[in-house]
Amino acid sequence: MTLQQPVTRVRLTARAVRTITTELATNDHATETGGILLGRHDRDTVVVRHAGTPGPAAVRTPTSFLRDLAHAQAFADQAFADDGSIWIGEWHTHPTSATTTPSPRDASTYRRLLGDPELAFHTLIAVILAPHRGSWAVQAWACRHHRITATQLQLPVHLMSPTDHRDRGGPS
């Protein structure tokens, strides 16, 4: 196994951003939403090729989000078959706290995932979004060796504002 460098940059592809913005446009913004991130680790950069959706059996509250595991697994299997993408992390919203910093619950989840030998994560990527001045603040985090570090995030396009879907009557 090749040793991977610490992650200093996360790059979301247009496809991944499109999935996230569509979910932001259709979610009620009173509860958290999110999904898995799939892609590859290339030197000090993680490239997110695919962002998942929560799935029909996801559990959402104003302060927590549990993805639909069967939905996430099917999505991951298809992405791996299509282009070799692997599970590299998760994205979710913080609609009530307006902060993109991982919550204590988030940090606990990341530690659990990093410690699971079956998953064999070197680094887990988290992308957290929160409403901020009529738009979305977004921050990527690299979780490794029980450390969570803010990481440079590269987006190909801007994320839509939390109210854009209302102004247009729904996602276009």
Side-chain angles (χ1 to χ4, degrees):
M1 179 177 184
T2 304
L3 288 177
Q4 294 175 331
Q5 295 178 14
V7 174
T8 61
R9 180 175 36 243
V10 174
R11 184 168 57 85
L12 270 67
T13 63
R15 169 191 256 175
V17 170
R18 220 174 8 257
T19 300
I20 292 169
T21 57
T22 298
E23 179 61 24
L24 294 175
T26 58
N27 187 47
D28 66 10
H29 303 293
T31 58
E32 288 193 6
T33 191
I36 62 174
L37 299 173
L38 306 168
R40 63 182 167 79
H41 190 143
D42 184 18
R43 295 188 207 109
D44 68 339
T45 301
V46 166
V47 178
V48 178
R49 294 178 180 159
H50 310 275
T53 58
V59 178
R60 303 179 200 187
T61 75
T63 59
S64 67
F65 163 75
L66 293 172
R67 69 187 173 285
D68 178 338
L69 293 175
H71 175 79
Q73 185 63 58
F75 181 67
D77 291 345
Q78 185 61 55
F80 183 78
D82 289 348
D83 62 20
S85 289
I86 61 169
W87 184 24
I88 53 175
E90 304 195 350
W91 74 273
H92 71 280
T93 59
H94 281 175
T96 60
S97 68
T99 178
T100 58
T101 302
S103 68
R105 179 179 292 175
D106 293 335
S108 176
T109 298
Y110 305 154
R111 282 191 299 275
R112 184 178 46 78
L113 293 171
L114 284 166
D116 187 329
E118 279 189 44
L119 298 175
F121 276 115
H122 170 270
T123 302
L124 177 78
I125 300 302
V127 174
I128 300 175
L129 299 102
H132 180 72
R133 297 182 185 175
S135 189
W136 287 99
V138 59
Q139 179 64 56
W141 300 88
C143 312
R144 179 179 182 198
H145 301 305
H146 301 288
R147 294 192 65 178
I148 302 173
T149 308
T151 304
Q152 178 187 359
L153 179 63
Q154 294 178 324
L155 299 170
V157 295
H158 292 291
L159 294 172
M160 68 188 301
S161 79
T163 57
D164 279 353
H165 68 285
R166 292 184 205 121
D167 298 338
R168 289 182 278 146
S172 51

